[in-house]
């Protein structure tokens, strides 16, 4: 069976270094807010090209804390509207609600599955204060148009970069964000280091990147019970700290992120050039570094038949995501709403295996089987 993602194999090449780091942390006697976290925050902010990185417990907390940080700064207030893609993973929307803000669902484009800037422009109201971009599946949203809209309307731009570690914005125009990485394209960005991410820990973990010193200073306190000095609490904060062990593991893996992303891109190129089945819609990609292929997502109107066919041929796939947020039981008040593009995407998408440990023979086999599929 070709696994969708073999995390044991992904981490095997780091085994000796990870064990050494585990021993270092164990022997240090310091397990929270220590030197490994500080080193990772320094390394990751340098990698993203930002002034600040704040390590937190997970990607969801990263989003919530950004929004709460802006509330503390007075740039947002409870009840403000934040635009968010209708087809995102539920965490993006839950984070907005957790911060007592109002999510406004915006349809994506069929081309790149990301938020549609033309629809963003049409939905702006006096209550709109921000746009939460989600670089879905590892492909950057249309930052050029989004920033133009945001600047004209004085809106915050927050990146949900949980799937886009290392993606680089490329533009043929002389745009000021050209060649910047995800995490350095908006006002602040949230990352997840869930084990299956392109940069994954061996447990939960997250981070926030920003160039805003005022925001960063508040976030360093908010993640630690609202405290900078022990037993002195300036804000009503939370306990959300990237622990020393996960930070240490991430310090081992970060230097290999660009190499692994390039392996993913090479697999994607092969899929795109060699999958010839007319019943399968392949993802759009301009072959730039704006996509890191956290997921390789195809579309077909006969998804279940294709999924079972692949499984019968020993190929495991996953669906990201089978139920759109507005159709979830948790959001029963939205269930009657219609987002036709989102609904079609959620009914048709299927994620193929793609990872740095997928072999050339496995890729060839997957392509071969896909091209044989008929119904």
């Amino acid at each position: 069976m070709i696994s969708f993602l073999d995390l044991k194999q992904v981490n095997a090449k780091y085994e000796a270094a990870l064990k050494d780091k585990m021993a270092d942390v164990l022997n240090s006697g310091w397990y929270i807010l220590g030197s490994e976290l500080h080193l990772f925050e320094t390394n990751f902010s340098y990698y993203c090209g930002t002034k600040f990185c704040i390590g937190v417990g997970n990607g969801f907390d990263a989003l919530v804390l950004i929004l709460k940080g802006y509330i503390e700064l007075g740039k947002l207030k409870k009840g403000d509207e934040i635009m968010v893609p209708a087809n995102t993973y539920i965490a993006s929307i839950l984070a907005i609600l957790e911060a007592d803000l109002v999510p406004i669902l915006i349809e994506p484009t069929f081309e790149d599955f990301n938020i549609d800037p033309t629809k963003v422009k049409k939905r702006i109201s006096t209550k709109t204060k921000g746009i939460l971009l989600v670089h879905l599946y590892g492909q950057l949203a249309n930052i050029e148009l989004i920033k133009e809209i945001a600047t004209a309307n004085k809106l915050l731009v927050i990146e949900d970069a949980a799937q886009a570690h290392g993606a680089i914005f490329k533009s043929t125009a002389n745009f000021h964000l050209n060649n910047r990485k995800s995490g350095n394209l908006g006002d602040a960005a949230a990352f997840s280091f869930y084990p299956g991410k392109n940069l994954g820990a061996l447990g939960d973990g997250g981070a926030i990147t920003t160039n805003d010193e005022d925001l960063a200073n508040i976030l360093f306190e908010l993640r630690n019970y609202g405290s900078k000095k022990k037993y002195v609490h300036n804000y009503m904060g939370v306990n959300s700290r990237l622990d020393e062990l996960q930070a240490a593991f991430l310090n081992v893996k970060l230097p290999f992120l660009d190499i692994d992303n390039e392996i993913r891109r090479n697999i994607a190129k092969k899929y795109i050039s060699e999958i010839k089945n007319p019943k399968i819609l392949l993802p759009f990609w301009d072959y730039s570094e704006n996509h890191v292929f956290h997921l390789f997502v195809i579309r077909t109107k006969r998804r279940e038949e294709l999924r079972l066919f692949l499984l019968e041929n020993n190929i495991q796939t996953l669906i990201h995501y089978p139920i759109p947020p507005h159709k979830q039981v948790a959001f029963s008040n939205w269930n009657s709403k219609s987002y036709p593009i989102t609904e079609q995407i959620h009914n048709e998408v299927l994620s193929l295996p793609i990872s740095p440990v997928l072999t050339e023979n496995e890729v060839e086999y997957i392509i071969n089987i896909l091209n044989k599929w008929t119904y």
Side-chain angles (χ1 to χ4, degrees), residues 130-173:
I131 305 168
L132 177 55
L133 294 180
V134 181
H135 303 310
L136 200 62
Y137 308 145
Q139 186 168 32
L140 295 179
N142 191 332
I143 193 69
E144 207 159 351
L145 287 180
I146 292 294
K147 288 288 282 188
E148 183 182 307
I149 294 166
T151 301
N153 293 277
K154 298 180 180 178
L155 305 178
L156 292 168
V157 176
I158 299 162
E159 298 175 77
D160 182 338
Q163 299 184 0
H165 313 70
I168 303 173
F169 176 76
K170 297 289 186 180
S171 173
T172 53

Side-chain angles (χ1 to χ4, degrees), residues 163-196:
Q163 299 184 0
H165 313 70
I168 303 173
F169 176 76
K170 297 289 186 180
S171 173
T172 53
N174 188 25
F175 190 56
H176 72 284
L177 296 180
N178 203 20
N179 293 316
R180 286 197 194 182
K181 285 192 175 85
S182 61
N184 193 20
L185 297 170
D187 296 293
F191 287 89
S192 166
F193 304 120
Y194 184 78

Side-chain angles (χ1 to χ4, degrees), residues 258-274 285 287 291-293 296 354 363 367:
D258 288 343
I259 296 168
D260 287 349
N261 282 345
E262 193 57 30
I263 293 170
R264 289 174 180 271
R265 290 192 192 100
N266 287 334
I267 293 170
K269 284 176 187 174
K270 196 166 182 64
Y271 278 156
I272 290 170
S273 64
E274 296 185 20
W285 179 34
Y287 292 93
H291 205 326
V292 293
F293 286 98
F296 189 94
I354 188 167
V363 173
I367 292 168

